[in-house]
Amino acid sequence: MAVAEMRKVYLIAEKSLRNSIITKLRELALFQPEPVDGESLASSFKPPQVETDEIEEAISHLGWTIDYLGQFEQKRPGLGLFPAKIMVKQEDYFHWIRNFDWQGIFQRCSESKNQIEKLREEKNNLFERFQFLHHWKELPLPLEKLREGRYILYQSGIVSRENGPDLKRELDELRITYLNIVKEEANKLYFLLVYSKENSEEVESIFQKLRVKKVFFTELGTPRGKIKEMKERITQIEKEITAIETKSRYLVKERIKLMSLHDHFYNLLREKKVASGTRSSFYTFILEGWVKKEDLSGLRRGLKEFSPLEIVVRPAGEKGEEKIPVALSNARFFKPFEFVTHLYGLPLYFEVDPTPFLAPFFALFLAFCLTDGGYGVILAVAAYFCLKKMKIGEEGKKLFYILFISGLITIVVGTLTGGMFGVEFSALPAFLSPLKRLVLFNPLTQPMVFLMIALGMGIVHILLGIALEIWDFLRKGEIAPVLLDEAPWILIILGAILFGLGKFGYLGEISRTSGLIMLLGGAGTLLIFAGRGSKNLFIRLGKGIYQIYGVVGLFGDILSYSRLLALGLATSVIATIVNTIARMTYEIPLIGPVLMVVILIGGHLGNIGINCLSGFIHTARLQYVEFFGKFYQGGGESFRPFRGEGKYIALS
């Protein structure tokens, strides 16, 4: 239940063994390599020249091909939040690496993509021209006839409807003109004008005055015939695109092979990058990195085939490293709750791992946010189904394990609060009377009891956070911060509780007096010693006053746990409303019973979903703000051993 101990390891071997050792390290998956610090080595140790251009190009081409074929693959239903990798047998994997012609597939896909793009571009151009000619399909003449003649000119154009009468009137005043309105549409007129060359200047002047847009045609034949040709060509293009896509869809079966090759080259690239972080002399090379202490023996056994090879080990932090990778090591029950810790950030290497301490509170708080035994059953069953039947990846398994545990605890909380799908136990039939004896209180009728329980859990939660900070100081051998900075807060909290209980008559006068002494003692200690690092009396006093002012924030943190009451009541109230509406619809003739069932199922599932989401968020907030704020710094870097892994597949 802590951060795993790490060891810094230096591997020193013959230069010719470098690539083989790096490949073996990938297979062992125990060692996290780091670039060697060249400043601490002799000048004869140089970084190697490692070429990666070809591998990076192969990865790029394979990734593009996989994405291209992905659009033709039938989508499978799934959550999508935690994609699982495709399992591939090792013998298939190595066979494809040796024999599969991925370059040929890439070339075929690239050609298909280019062909489709050209055809779609042609289709778009045809469609634009088709829409344009559609306005002129009633034009009776072939378009090639509308060209300049010896004595007359042809001009197609578009004018606004309001200027149409003026255009007709002014053209009638000229000699030898013929105006044909081809189409009237909305507020536009499409026309063909035939006029004498000697009237060119007058016609141009009229066009400019009435804002006529001239239209010119490049096609041959009548507009109606050309439109027909375009329709036929567009249909043909669509068939050609479909044929090309069908060929591409046939290649989808090769996608797993492409994914395997992609991950193969990806791992080769990672090996090259590890090699580039080494330092080499004429005969030897040096590689350094991190290993868990518990895995040192496994590393030695895995590398014993290489000779000569020297393995030098030293404890983490011996040379004052600032960035030591962090690997959490928790018991099986607490392991899934590392998901919550990762969402916030890993602890620093010498810091306390909060996972085993937040785990019970997280599950309990989420259960109090739901507060319904029936909802707990649904949540536990749904989470168990996802764990057993769906491919959701490791992080997904952790999340649904948390939801499964929280669902089980919700069943207990719902039983103790007398709620099952919004139905109070008091309304249950007589044969279920044993359940009624299990009820401790009703949140809807006794909200103050619920509030006191929520605040009580909050006080325990915050005291645990302060205790963890004290533990952290004691591990480092620092006694003064324990006595002068942390213990006073415990005195203040416990003193305030005892004083309040005595004040309201729950305990005697001794409790009230003891509480007041503890409260004043804790506050006085903070006032006097909070600024002990400063020699200036006024600064010390100011820091002490500021610390005492922090009491307001402390009790604000405790009040934050009242959100458990708010969310728990919201779940119960909404469940009750759903049941009430369902009962009202039951009286509707014919469709009443069906509506009631739909409302009950939809309403309760929606209530579970909304309140489970909000409960998860607010429960996480109580951990990250109120709990972590008392002891946790975070910001650690995850330990990532060098292993064979990729984007798409996992070997079985």
Side-chain angles (χ1 to χ4, degrees), residues 353-589:
D353 175 15
T355 304
F357 305 101
L358 70 83
F361 286 98
F362 193 95
L364 184 62
F365 290 168
L366 183 54
F368 267 82
C369 289
L370 295 177
T371 326
D372 188 287
Y375 288 2
V377 172
I378 298 297
L379 181 61
V381 170
Y384 185 80
F385 174 81
C386 292
L387 285 169
K388 295 298 182 181
K389 300 297 183 180
M390 300 189 70
K391 296 180 179 180
I392 50 179
E394 289 302 317
E395 293 302 305
K397 289 180 180 178
K398 290 181 180 179
L399 173 60
F400 283 102
Y401 183 87
I402 292 172
L403 296 178
F404 174 72
I405 295 299
S406 300
L408 295 180
I409 298 177
T410 303
I411 296 173
V412 177
V413 172
T415 302
L416 297 178
T417 55
M420 188 70 68
F421 292 109
V423 178
E424 296 182 10
F425 283 6
S426 57
L428 293 177
F431 70 90
L432 294 177
S433 58
L435 290 176
K436 301 177 184 178
R437 291 195 289 268
L438 298 176
V439 178
L440 298 181
F441 70 97
N442 187 329
L444 294 177
T445 59
Q446 298 171 287
M448 289 305 297
V449 175
F450 197 165
L451 178 61
M452 291 300 104
I453 292 174
L455 296 182
M457 291 191 299
I459 291 172
V460 174
H461 200 215
I462 288 175
L463 286 173
L464 176 61
I466 297 173
L468 289 174
E469 181 73 344
I470 291 174
W471 178 26
D472 199 27
F473 279 127
L474 292 176
R475 288 194 312 155
K476 300 173 184 176
E478 301 178 23
I479 305 300
V482 172
L483 298 177
L484 304 179
D485 295 331
E486 302 303 327
W489 289 110
I490 296 179
L491 291 176
I492 289 172
I493 294 173
L494 297 180
I497 294 172
L498 290 175
F499 180 80
L501 292 175
K503 178 73 174 178
F504 293 102
Y506 292 103
L507 295 176
E509 185 65 26
I510 297 178
S511 169
R512 179 180 176 183
T513 303
S514 301
L516 183 61
I517 293 173
M518 294 172 66
L519 186 61
L520 294 177
T525 303
L526 291 176
L527 178 64
I528 296 171
F529 295 104
R532 61 187 181 277
S534 175
K535 296 181 179 180
N536 187 301
L537 181 61
F538 293 102
I539 294 178
R540 293 179 64 176
L541 183 61
K543 288 183 177 180
I545 294 174
Y546 180 78
Q547 284 293 315
I548 293 177
Y549 179 75
V551 173
V552 176
L554 175 64
F555 287 103
D557 290 344
I558 295 174
L559 288 175
S560 292
Y561 290 83
S562 62
R563 69 184 67 241
L564 299 177
L565 164 68
L567 292 171
L569 289 179
T571 305
S572 301
V573 170
I574 294 174
T576 303
I577 292 173
V578 169
N579 293 339
T580 302
I581 296 174
R583 282 196 299 270
M584 293 170 61
T585 59
Y586 182 76
E587 303 299 330
I588 301 176

Side-chain angles (χ1 to χ4, degrees), residues 75-194:
K75 302 300 181 183
R76 298 177 181 177
L79 296 178
L81 297 175
F82 305 99
K85 294 181 180 179
I86 299 172
M87 301 303 296
V88 174
K89 295 180 180 179
Q90 290 194 18
E91 54 268 27
D92 292 336
Y93 175 77
F94 292 114
H95 175 73
W96 295 336
I97 290 172
R98 290 190 299 268
N99 303 303
F100 183 59
D101 179 22
W102 68 268
Q103 293 96 332
I105 301 296
F106 165 71
Q107 189 65 34
R108 291 168 64 182
C109 291
S110 181
E111 291 173 357
S112 297
K113 177 70 172 177
N114 292 334
Q115 290 173 0
I116 290 174
E117 288 180 349
K118 289 180 181 178
L119 289 170
R120 284 177 176 167
E121 183 179 0
E122 182 185 355
K123 178 184 174 182
N124 291 335
N125 293 335
L126 284 171
F127 189 74
E128 289 178 5
R129 202 62 187 170
F130 166 82
Q131 289 182 314
F132 169 74
L133 286 178
H134 184 73
H135 301 294
W136 302 94
K137 67 179 181 179
E138 301 301 329
L139 197 64
L141 298 175
L143 297 176
E144 64 269 19
K145 296 285 187 181
L146 305 181
R147 294 177 182 172
E148 182 178 346
R150 178 177 295 184
Y151 302 108
I152 62 174
L153 298 174
Y154 300 87
Q155 183 61 62
S156 302
I158 304 172
V159 68
S160 64
R161 183 185 289 272
E162 62 181 359
N163 289 337
D166 294 335
L167 177 66
K168 187 176 184 305
R169 177 177 50 78
E170 296 200 22
L171 290 175
D172 286 343
E173 295 176 359
L174 299 177
R175 294 175 298 169
I176 316 177
T177 61
Y178 171 72
L179 180 65
N180 178 27
I181 303 299
V182 178
K183 185 179 182 180
E184 296 185 18
E185 182 180 80
N187 60 346
K188 293 180 180 180
L189 297 178
Y190 297 82
F191 67 86
L192 172 65
L193 176 65
V194 184

